[in-house]
Amino acid sequence: MAEEAVTAANSGWWWIPSRLPPWCPTSQIQLQTAEDMMLRCIKSSFSKRHVPISNGNLLWTLTFSNDRVKDKTPMVLLHGFGGGVGLWAQNLDALSQRRPVFAVDLLGFGQSSRPPFSMDPGAAEDQFVESIEQWRAEVGLESMILLGHNLGGFLAVSYSIKYPARVKHMVLVEPWGFPESPDPVEANRPIPVWIKALGAMFSPFNPLAGLRLVGPLGPSLVQTLRPDFKKKFSSMFADNTVAEYIYHLNVQTPSGETAFKNMSVNHGWAARPMLQRMDQLQHEIPINIIYGSRSSIDSNLGSTIKEMRPRCAVESITIRGAGHYVYADQPEDFNHRVLQACDGVV
């Protein structure tokens, strides 16, 4: 109990227990089962394992590779806040046809280890970045294409700044954390719905504390609040597979979730905006930025980065009919555009 109290105090959330409420209907086995259900429609052969990194931590990894593509530069998929490898279910078959693909649960999320994170935004970010580098070294990848959605896009750039020799290409999908938090005078500017949800709905708690606090009502709450996820995957599942997976992903120990909160200010804006650091990124790394035409995220980011980096290959791609979860809203178009963008990477 003493150790539990220290962990909670260090996280800055002493009023939320570090363990799950006893009425919260979840477990690691239930998360694993929910993920297996998400992946049951995948036709390609793949392996899955925990990759060891420092301090006894493990990163859950799906590996898609075969003799035909094994010598090509691999693509590494980094999910967004509250996500996991199972949400790439509509993309893994297509993307792995031309090169090896690795889908990773970020540290603190999914089936990866959920250690304490620093309360300092920079230190927490660095914990994520170092975990990716340690994972790369353990898996034995010389270089890679990084594709990141939301938080994963932010971390892809942060990693590429620190380890540029390891990155041949970046694909940023609706990336989080690039612009600065708007000034008070811009208060009338529309705030994306997902940012409002993260920053306001459960403040001052961790962003997803509500799911844990409602206990056995959690699975129904996910289905009620996010019926769109069932629609996004309707070509694969007619039941509540997706809602079950999202629920079990996000009611485990709030590790990466707490890190995200520590890295955020003012309704989910980044405490350390990435645009302020783009000048540190090597010009040789090409960047594709993918947006959904129905998303609330500012799609002018590509133009801004191109102006800041005129010598760098920067291309923005807008996918019609897609929202923030581009890869799930319009998977065929998304897969085609990603393969096309990375076709020149050997």
Side-chain angles (χ1 to χ4, degrees):
M1 287 296 292
E3 187 174 298
E4 213 167 73
V6 169
T7 301
N10 285 344
S11 71
W13 302 102
W14 53 268
W15 57 86
I16 299 179
S18 59
R19 63 185 177 188
L20 296 176
W23 65 86
C24 210
T26 192
S27 67
Q28 187 64 34
I29 293 176
Q30 286 173 287
L31 171 57
Q32 183 177 341
T33 300
E35 182 188 291
D36 289 342
M37 293 295 287
M38 285 290 297
L39 301 175
R40 71 183 186 269
C41 294
I42 291 177
K43 299 174 183 177
S44 307
S45 61
F46 66 96
S47 62
K48 48 189 178 181
R49 67 177 176 122
H50 276 112
V51 175
I53 57 174
S54 65
N55 300 318
N57 290 317
L58 306 167
L59 293 191
W60 182 244
T61 305
L62 308 183
T63 303
F64 292 74
S65 186
N66 57 59
D67 290 339
R68 184 171 53 85
V69 301
K70 66 179 182 180
D71 294 326
K72 297 287 292 288
T73 299
M75 179 179 292
V76 177
L77 309 182
L78 305 178
H79 62 77
F81 174 81
V85 295
L87 293 182
W88 302 111
Q90 297 181 95
N91 317 108
L92 292 165
D93 277 327
L95 297 182
S96 62
Q97 293 308 302
R98 298 189 189 178
R99 64 182 69 252
V101 169
F102 295 84
V104 183
D105 276 343
L106 293 170
L107 187 66
F109 292 99
Q111 294 199 67
S112 290
S113 298
R114 293 175 177 246
F117 276 81
S118 172
M119 291 181 65
D120 177 76
E125 179 184 327
D126 199 52
Q127 282 178 260
F128 279 122
V129 168
E130 289 308 309
S131 71
I132 296 169
E133 170 58 13
Q134 292 163 13
W135 173 88
R136 180 209 60 79
E138 181 66 27
V139 173
L141 305 184
E142 188 64 28
S143 60
M144 54 195 168
I145 297 169
L146 284 181
L147 185 154
H149 173 249
N150 186 267
L151 172 63
F154 178 88
L155 296 176
V157 177
S158 184
Y159 175 90
S160 301
I161 288 173
K162 191 166 186 179
Y163 298 103
R166 302 301 183 186
V167 181
K168 284 192 174 181
H169 194 108
M170 269 194 293
V171 181
L172 310 179
V173 184
E174 292 269 321
W176 168 82
F178 279 70
E180 296 182 23
S181 174
D183 295 327
V185 294
E186 297 182 39
N188 292 327
R189 181 181 176 183
I191 299 176
V193 172
W194 70 274
I195 289 182
K196 287 183 179 179
L198 294 183
M201 188 172 179
F202 298 121
S203 182
F205 301 103
N206 275 7
L208 298 168
L211 273 184
R212 289 181 291 276
L213 294 175
V214 298
L217 298 178
S220 298
L221 184 64
V222 172
Q223 294 170 29
T224 301
L225 294 180
R226 298 305 306 263
D228 57 311
F229 270 104
K230 185 173 182 177
K231 183 179 179 181
K232 296 176 195 299
F233 290 85
S234 59
S235 65
M236 302 184 82
F237 314 112
D239 55 14
N240 292 319
T241 292
V242 182
E244 288 289 324
Y245 178 58
I246 291 172
Y247 171 76
H248 290 294
L249 274 176
N250 290 302
V251 293
Q252 308 293 320
T253 304
S255 168
E257 175 188 341
T258 300
F260 180 85
K261 189 175 196 312
N262 292 342
M263 292 164 60
S264 307
V265 294
N266 302 335
H267 303 294
W269 298 89
R272 303 178 71 240
M274 192 55 70
L275 276 180
Q276 297 177 354
R277 293 177 274 162
M278 290 301 291
D279 60 340
Q280 301 174 35
L281 182 66
Q282 285 195 3
H283 292 277
E284 291 78 11
I285 302 176
I287 303 172
N288 287 98
I289 307 173
I290 299 180
Y291 289 97
S293 65
R294 297 181 177 177
S295 173
S296 298
I297 302 296
D298 185 3
S299 60
N300 291 321
L301 175 63
S303 300
T304 303
I305 292 177
K306 197 169 185 66
E307 290 173 5
M308 296 172 64
R309 299 166 55 76
R311 291 184 293 149
C312 175
V314 179
E315 181 186 0
S316 292
I317 299 170
T318 300
I319 295 185
R320 297 188 64 180
H324 182 59
Y325 293 87
V326 189
Y327 58 89
D329 288 328
Q330 298 291 339
E332 289 188 14
D333 195 6
F334 174 84
N335 295 337
H336 172 72
R337 302 299 290 269
V338 169
L339 290 172
Q340 190 177 51
C342 300
D343 200 42
V345 183
V346 296

